[in-house]
Amino acid sequence: MKLHEYQSKSIFAEFGIPIPQGRVASTASEAKTIARELGDRVVVKAQVLVGGRGKAGGVRLAKSPEEAEDFATQILGMRIKGLPVRKVLVDEAADPTTELYLSITNDRSAKSPVMIGSSEGGVEIEEVARKHPEKIVRVLIDPLLGLQGFQARYLASSMELSREYWRDFIKIACGLYEAYRKSDATLAEINPLVITKDKRLLALDGKIVLDDNSLFRHPEYIEMRDMDEEAPAEREARMYGLSYVKLDGNIGCMVNGAGLAMATLDVTKLAGGEPANFLDIGGGAGSEKVAAGLRIILADPNVDVVLVNVFGGITRCDEVARGILTAMKEEKPQVPMVVRLVGTNEKDGRRILADADIITADSLEEAANLAVASIKENGAE
Ligand code: GDP
Ligand code: MN
């Protein structure tokens, strides 16, 4: 779950990271009122869950409350990378002299949290990685020890930070690590972390991504979810407890079990197809979950065929078959379905599907080949 900038920064503040004063507004007149309270110069910032708002015109410096109102009107009418702007953050304007980058995330190959710093802040870190890979420093953090002082000092020196800022920088780095750890985040990022004209370190932008699997122990964060910003398919998947990841291909895949889903994507590729998604309906999925899974797949306009691969254990094949029929009645798919069902009650499952004229396959390989063939037959790309 991604948090907005204003939410991320309020968590930063709880962990002692200095942030500009500011408040969020949903109307231009509110923005004007906040600007008046904060003083003359403010920055008006679109609150959408994508990066690069600055480049898209979603971050504007205003010299007066009236100008702040104007900018808020413009920004609240914008779409950034397809997302409508419903709120703006009005922050007191800072005077940055230097923009740095600092984040912490999971390094999956190192199986460890990693803190990443760079003297090149303000631009996306991927861009720095391409153009100036030598300007990125990484330190792996042992979760049993936490971020050590020497590691924070190593970051500060590698980021070419002058000595006078080290004390504050180390506090910020430790605060960021604690924020990441205590909130069960998968990413906590400050970009830019700036040095102001009056020689303070300040987190001008913030981004936190929380691990959805930990939300049960953070009731305070569940309320932060912005339903309006979620893609409808993701929202539905979450409501039914399905894991769904959209991909770029045209073969919709519905599978029970994450490992089987990965194998299904591999075999689909091997057969010359391109999967449209990863979808794990989980163990013991009843017909309701299956129907939701199908609805999600069919809502993707790229999907030209649906490949269902179910290995019945706890999940009963007849339940899955009935789920497919229920979903087909509701959704009336215009694309062919290929189903491979094996395991518990497979005969019943296959009979139910055969009665409804659905293509079934005995093996995954056969199912993948049938799915690819059906796309070629229909002349779709
Ligand atoms: P992003 O484009 O979505 O990452 O939004 P940011 O909040 O990072 O803002 C983009 C850029 O706007 C920053 O890198 C800064 O250069 C600039 N910026 C943001 N806030 C201020 C501010 O208070 N004062 C000044 N002078 N520049 C700012
Ligand atoms: Mn930024």
Side-chain angles (χ1 to χ4, degrees), residues 5 9 20 41-48 50-61 80-81 89 91-97 99-100 121-124 189-194 202 204-206:
E5 176 193 4
K9 290 204 299 206
R41 295 173 56 245
V42 293
V43 51
V44 183
K45 312 180 75 175
Q47 297 299 287
V48 278
V50 289
R53 297 163 304 161
K55 271 190 205 150
V59 176
R60 306 285 297 273
L61 272 168
I80 298 181
K81 296 183 185 166
L89 174 64
D91 264 357
E92 58 177 354
D95 288 315
T97 57
E99 300 196 18
L100 310 164
V123 284
E124 281 180 28
E189 181 186 75
I190 309 177
N191 187 23
L193 170 67
V194 302
L202 202 57
L204 273 207
D205 188 11

Side-chain angles (χ1 to χ4, degrees), residues 326-377:
T326 310
M328 287 183 74
K329 254 184 233 143
E330 285 168 14
E331 302 300 313
K332 304 186 179 56
Q334 305 296 312
V335 298
M337 310 256 306
V338 179
V339 183
R340 181 239 182 180
L341 268 181
V342 290
T344 311
N345 294 0
E346 74 176 64
K347 276 194 193 132
D348 290 346
R350 290 234 188 98
R351 188 176 35 74
I352 292 169
L353 294 177
D355 289 348
D357 292 326
I358 291 171
I359 310 165
T360 58
D362 294 332
S363 70
L364 174 53
E365 197 181 2
E366 185 191 347
N369 285 328
L370 284 170
V372 171
S374 85
I375 290 175
K376 290 200 177 126
E377 242 167 62

Side-chain angles (χ1 to χ4, degrees), residues 1-5 7-12 15 49 176 179-180 183-190 206-211 221:
M1 169 176 155
K2 291 179 185 167
L3 297 185
H4 281 296
E5 176 193 4
Q7 297 166 326
S8 306
K9 290 204 299 206
S10 82
I11 294 177
F12 288 168
F15 289 89
L49 298 174
L176 191 63
Y180 158 89
S183 67
D184 287 313
T186 56
L187 173 74
E189 181 186 75
I190 309 177
K207 179 174 172 185
I208 291 182
V209 181
L210 299 173
D211 184 344
Y221 297 149

